[in-house]
Amino acid sequence: MSPIIQFDRVSVTAHEKTILVDISFALFAGEKAALCGKSGSGKSSVLRTLLGLHTIKSGAVYFQQQRLTASTIQAIRSCTAYIGQEPILGAESVRDALLLPFQFKAHRQYRPTEARLIEALQRLQLPADILNQESSRISGGEKQRVALARGLLLGKKLYLLDEVTSALDAESRQAVFDVFSDPDLTVLSVAHDPAWLELCGIVLELEAGRLTLVKRNGNA
Amino acid sequence: MATLDIELPRMALLYGLCLLPWLLLWLIGLRLSRDIVVGVLRMSIQLALVGIYLKMLFELNQPWLNGLWILVMLLVADLSILRRAGLKARYFTLATFIAIAFSILLSTAYLVILVIQPAHFYDARYIVPLAGMILGNCLQGNVIALERFYSALRKNENEYATFLMLGATRWEAVRPYFRDAVKAAINPTIAGMATMGLVSLPGMMTGQILGGSEPWIAVKYQIAIMICIFAGTTMASILNLRLSLNIAFNAFDVLRDEVIKKP
């Protein structure tokens, strides 16, 4: 089996500063991995590099064995959901936020029904009536789960989660993890939370832009 | 009916009026003498030069010379737009030039050739002031459009990236900022049309009336110039933003740092 994500000796600089040095790792479909390390160690940069938001100085990133280039980036982005600490919903109401990607040409023909919206929310333990709430009035944890639900609705296979569980209580965190226990879904996350690290099969530790430790928990 | 000339001694009398505000400013403790002198002097010299130039332009009335004058105005406006919008001229000069040249020439030509129909379409008396007025207003609009658009993109970098991640193309992802920027650029023109004549008498109309025109003719020209400013500004700001999209982003749809001037 070939890896879904592969970093091959990747170095990245941004604003004339080196942010990643010689990073190599591979992630297979269905695996759940966490990047940990001090703030500024380059954890989020790994996610951003995979999304083509940083320019790769040397080395290569592969997604399903396709090298990340200007011509493959759209395909990579379309398979990937990125959810940050304070996700941007990009619309006035939660319903519009969930439907936002379906305004774009790439997804226009897959617009979900109301029932599918509610089902996606329920998988993340969100009530159906949140649909009519204003995006600015829901909590950080709810925003993260709405953003996750949006990823599920898009049928994304790869989830890049940047400190997602920080705003969640134990119960919601378990709900999130239950969703991702699906062997079809691959997760690359940034986390500090020990409980989340425990749940991830692979832990990648970064220090000053270098990968210093790769630990396989063997339970995923 | 010719306009009354102002002879030199009376011109000097006119400058005397500056003494009154100068005295008032001095009395309230504002020491602006230097700024006032520089301002009045610069205005006088610059306008005198334009006067000499325009007199020559009107007397010769050569199509190539008139064209050259418009070309120079377009180039100066181009660089001025980019400087004030905080974008590097090295990258955007051509795009902005194409956008303003196309819009200004189209709206001026429409007005002069189809509507006013002078004996010679290149008549300096028509095309130079009309193109100049349209361009002057268009300049403001383009500065606002570019400045708004690129500062909104940088301010909302994460939101823009989120749109990309949700499957938007570059064009789909910038569209909200694009619309806002165009709206901000043309709003002053639309608002100006809506209050025209109520708040103040428009400058061109005042000038024409002083120059001896029938008020009715002056009104028609004022309407003509406003419509051309509206058309020119809208076309130029949309075209300018659209062309800049091909320059300001890398192949991964990320805004290039180096195209924007550091504040």
Side-chain angles (χ1 to χ4, degrees), chain A residues 32 120 123-124 152 159 174-183 185:
Chain A
K32 328 292 173 198
R123 281 180 71 186
L124 293 153
L152 294 175
Y159 288 79
Q174 192 56 51
V176 169
F177 212 85
D178 288 346
V179 167
F180 289 118
S181 60
D182 184 335
L185 305 181

Side-chain angles (χ1 to χ4, degrees), chain B residues 13-27:
Chain B
L13 187 66
L14 174 67
Y15 282 106
L17 183 59
C18 291
L19 291 175
L20 197 62
W22 174 80
L23 186 69
L24 283 172
L25 292 169
W26 189 78
L27 280 176

Side-chain angles (χ1 to χ4, degrees), chain B residues 161-194:
Chain B
T162 303
F163 293 149
L164 289 180
M165 297 317 128
L166 292 174
T169 59
R170 181 189 304 174
W171 171 235
E172 285 172 323
V174 301
R175 207 153 42 191
Y177 319 113
F178 194 98
R179 285 197 188 124
D180 285 349
V182 172
K183 193 168 166 224
I186 62 167
N187 254 349
T189 308
I190 297 175
M193 289 200 287

